[in-house]
Amino acid sequence: MWRGGMNIEIKTPEQIAVMREAGLVVARTLRVLAEAVRPGITTADLDALAEAEIRAAGATPSFKGYHGYPATICTSVNEEIVHGIPSPRRSLREGDIISIDCGAIVGGWHGDAAVTVGVGAISAADAALLQACETALWRGLAQARAGGRLGDISHAVETSVDRSGRYGLVEEYTGHGIGSAMHMDPPVPNYGRAGRGPRLRPGMALAIEPMVMLGGPETVLLDDGWTVVTADGSRAAHFEHTVAITGDGPWVLTAEDGGESGFARYPEIAEGSLGDTRKKDPASVPPT
């Protein structure tokens, strides 16, 4: 999972503060997009809305033009896991599920997050899938603590998915370091052993992103060179947040409240996850 020789970027508190600005742009954009999801809307409509929101905030979309990617967001519907390209020909239907992945740049610093939402009423199985994936994300985020190891995050994600039911967990696509570039060292797998990998230090920032399927873990890359789908056609969920490692605990830069409400949904991991940041406006707490 981890090899020596990585170049892991350590940010100053001032740089993390700018990443927080980018993270808030992403958070607000994803909230607007999730509220806009409905039967009949196209994924291209969502993409246009995302670009308008990001640019209105004075930020720049991270994804558009990245290695030739043609859109502002990734929209992955049903069996699509990640990197689905928005299209005016893809209209959402009642009962679909859609992952929306969004990135923004402020002052040269990146924020990156994703959410999966249902289109109208969805099946109980799909609802449980979304819950399993989001729960795994927050359990992973809770391990983003100074002094721990990267493998603690990976192990927490994997263990959470295993406890939630018989789900597939993507192995070949991972989370990543983030900061002055969108994808940086270290890779953050969604599986692994606790106590292994690089030591987590204040000033590190990571994008943690479980990808969970109703079926097996095998994936296929489509001919467009971007869209990754489940090999067995089963549905998939994808959730992601950017988190900063601070002396006070994880600071979720792409959550509008810094992660407070997310951790609070899981009382068994909430205590100690945010330290003093849970007692204040997270946006006002300087990272260490």
Side-chain angles (χ1 to χ4, degrees), residues 142-228:
Q143 296 301 316
R145 298 185 179 125
R149 296 279 187 178
L150 187 69
D152 300 344
I153 297 171
S154 302
H155 181 72
V157 170
E158 181 181 26
T159 301
S160 180
V161 173
D162 287 345
R163 289 176 177 173
S164 292
R166 297 177 63 86
Y167 295 109
L169 184 61
V170 174
E171 295 187 358
E172 60 264 59
Y173 298 92
T174 72
H176 49 91
I178 185 171
S180 59
M182 184 164 58
H183 293 113
M184 310 182 76
D185 284 336
V188 186
N190 292 309
Y191 65 96
R193 296 179 61 182
R196 300 293 183 90
R199 182 77 65 184
L200 301 177
R201 297 170 51 194
M204 291 175 63
L206 305 170
I208 301 171
E209 49 180 321
M211 291 155 267
V212 180
M213 297 94 96
L214 281 173
E218 294 79 16
T219 68
V220 175
L221 178 64
L222 297 187
D223 290 342
D224 64 17
W226 288 102
T227 308
V228 180

Side-chain angles (χ1 to χ4, degrees), residues 50-94:
E51 182 165 8
E53 287 289 327
I54 291 170
R55 296 198 185 278
T60 303
S62 296
F63 299 173
K64 195 164 190 178
Y66 183 73
H67 295 296
Y69 186 74
T72 292
I73 56 174
C74 298
T75 52
S76 304
V77 182
N78 295 337
E79 76 282 358
E80 297 169 352
I81 306 168
V82 286
H83 306 159
I85 301 173
S87 169
R89 296 183 299 278
R90 187 65 183 265
S91 295
L92 299 181
R93 297 180 296 181
E94 182 88 13

Side-chain angles (χ1 to χ4, degrees), residues 3-287:
R3 302 175 301 279
M6 288 186 186
N7 181 22
I8 298 176
E9 182 179 77
I10 303 298
K11 288 73 158 168
T12 67
E14 294 76 17
Q15 290 166 340
I16 292 289
V18 182
M19 288 188 67
R20 172 62 167 162
E21 293 181 35
L24 287 171
V25 172
V26 171
R28 289 190 293 264
T29 301
L30 283 175
R31 173 165 49 81
V32 168
L33 295 176
E35 292 170 354
V37 166
R38 64 183 185 278
I41 197 169
T42 71
T43 53
D45 293 334
L46 295 174
D47 188 67
L49 180 58
E51 182 165 8
E53 287 289 327
I54 291 170
R55 296 198 185 278
T60 303
S62 296
F63 299 173
K64 195 164 190 178
Y66 183 73
H67 295 296
Y69 186 74
T72 292
I73 56 174
C74 298
T75 52
S76 304
V77 182
N78 295 337
E79 76 282 358
E80 297 169 352
I81 306 168
V82 286
H83 306 159
I85 301 173
S87 169
R89 296 183 299 278
R90 187 65 183 265
S91 295
L92 299 181
R93 297 180 296 181
E94 182 88 13
D96 285 344
I97 59 174
I98 177 172
S99 162
I100 305 171
D101 195 350
C102 179
I105 310 167
V106 172
W109 296 89
H110 291 253
D112 186 10
V115 62
T116 302
V117 297
V119 183
I122 62 174
S123 71
D126 286 347
L129 170 69
L130 269 58
Q131 181 64 49
C133 189
E134 188 174 13
T135 299
L137 170 62
W138 284 101
R139 291 185 187 280
L141 290 166
Q143 296 301 316
R145 298 185 179 125
R149 296 279 187 178
L150 187 69
D152 300 344
I153 297 171
S154 302
H155 181 72
V157 170
E158 181 181 26
T159 301
S160 180
V161 173
D162 287 345
R163 289 176 177 173
S164 292
R166 297 177 63 86
Y167 295 109
L169 184 61
V170 174
E171 295 187 358
E172 60 264 59
Y173 298 92
T174 72
H176 49 91
I178 185 171
S180 59
M182 184 164 58
H183 293 113
M184 310 182 76
D185 284 336
V188 186
N190 292 309
Y191 65 96
R193 296 179 61 182
R196 300 293 183 90
R199 182 77 65 184
L200 301 177
R201 297 170 51 194
M204 291 175 63
L206 305 170
I208 301 171
E209 49 180 321
M211 291 155 267
V212 180
M213 297 94 96
L214 281 173
E218 294 79 16
T219 68
V220 175
L221 178 64
L222 297 187
D223 290 342
D224 64 17
W226 288 102
T227 308
V228 180
V229 302
T230 59
D232 58 11
S234 63
R235 291 190 168 191
H238 172 217
F239 284 84
E240 177 183 16
H241 270 306
T242 296
V243 61
I245 313 299
T246 83
D248 292 319
W251 188 15
V252 185
L253 302 178
T254 47
E256 289 183 286
D257 64 358
E260 183 174 356
S261 61
F263 289 120
R265 292 204 301 272
Y266 307 99
E268 72 276 18
I269 65 171
E271 187 62 33
S273 293
L274 284 172
D276 289 340
T277 65
R278 297 203 303 160
K279 303 182 181 71
K280 310 172 187 176
D281 173 13
S284 70
V285 178

